[in-house]
Amino acid sequence: MTLRKYEYHGILFLLLFVICSVNPSNATAGEPTEEIRHTTDRIIAVVSDPALKSPENASERKKLIREAVDERFDWEEMSRRTLARNWVGRTDDEKKEFIDLFGKLLERTYLEKVEDYSGEKVSYIDEKIDGDYAIVKVNILTKNDREIPVFYRLKSKNDKWFVYDILIEGVSLINNYRSQFNSIITRSSYQGLIKKLRDSVEEK
């Protein structure tokens, strides 16, 4: 099993942050939806900036996109949920290392696909808040008129909303990686997983 088995869904969820035509629905947009929209606007500004489109500015463009995604993704919460029981018992240094590697894995696998946008449109459909948790539903309409339902799962922290999972067509990004990582740990070890993550983020 490779660390890129679920690339299709990952590309889709990151494409949501570079949709160039965002269509609001009739539903009232609350704070979680507006914060996702704010992040979307930041990334659109980056990918639409003519000064950043040249090859020599690729590094700066990538940096700015990653900063915008960092604004909305709770990497620690995503890491904890991805490792699940394997998170318990890890030292603080091990947790920091995993959070860093997991973020770099997603960046390497998906953020580089951001400019693959090809005309998809998204509508904000619904928002549900339950205490410190929220779900924002959107629909992606592809060029082939295929509608893809997407659910953002968010958690409130320090009066802001952060994404900790995304479901696309009923498939959870976190559950996918949890299954994948647990399989590696079971067949090898936690350090075996860390080695695979290092190899994945360092490969050219």
Side-chain angles (χ1 to χ4, degrees), residues 6 9-10 12-14 16-17 32 36 69 72-83 102 106 110 132-138 149-156 161-179:
Y6 302 105
H9 287 103
L12 274 176
F13 92 70
L14 280 168
L16 286 176
F17 283 111
I36 288 177
V69 173
R72 193 58 51 217
F73 279 69
D74 188 337
W75 297 112
E76 181 174 354
E77 184 71 12
M78 293 176 74
S79 296
R80 183 182 68 79
R81 289 173 179 267
T82 300
L83 277 185
F102 188 44
L106 293 180
Y110 305 138
D132 290 335
Y133 292 87
I135 296 177
V136 174
K137 180 184 178 182
V138 305
V150 179
F151 294 84
Y152 286 96
R153 288 176 171 170
L154 304 97
K155 183 177 181 180
S156 178
W161 291 94
F162 296 91
V163 175
Y164 68 86
D165 194 12
I166 300 176
L167 282 74
I168 299 178
E169 297 184 306
V171 179
S172 161
L173 176 82
I174 294 304
N175 287 349
N176 277 337
Y177 275 109
R178 181 188 301 138
S179 174

Side-chain angles (χ1 to χ4, degrees), residues 90-132:
R90 303 266 74 87
T91 67
D92 288 344
D93 286 344
E94 286 176 328
K95 290 177 180 177
K96 289 177 182 178
E97 179 183 35
F98 181 83
I99 292 169
D100 178 63
L101 288 172
F102 188 44
K104 287 179 178 177
L105 174 71
L106 293 180
E107 176 181 355
R108 182 175 180 82
T109 308
Y110 305 138
L111 293 190
E112 294 175 358
K113 310 291 185 180
V114 159
E115 294 185 45
D116 288 351
Y117 168 74
S118 59
E120 295 83 2
K121 297 180 181 180
V122 60
S123 298
Y124 294 97
I125 303 300
D126 193 18
E127 173 185 284
K128 294 181 180 178
I129 300 176
D130 183 5
D132 290 335

Side-chain angles (χ1 to χ4, degrees), residues 1-6 82-83 85-86 98 102 105 176-200:
M1 180 182 295
T2 70
L3 292 175
R4 296 190 177 184
K5 178 179 179 181
Y6 302 105
T82 300
L83 277 185
R85 66 177 182 273
N86 293 297
F98 181 83
F102 188 44
L105 174 71
N176 277 337
Y177 275 109
R178 181 188 301 138
S179 174
Q180 193 174 182
F181 291 173
N182 186 61
S183 176
I184 294 171
I185 293 171
T186 299
R187 290 186 286 106
S188 175
S189 64
Y190 177 76
Q191 290 306 320
L193 169 63
I194 293 300
K195 182 180 184 305
K196 283 185 176 291
L197 288 174
R198 288 198 195 104
D199 290 345
S200 291

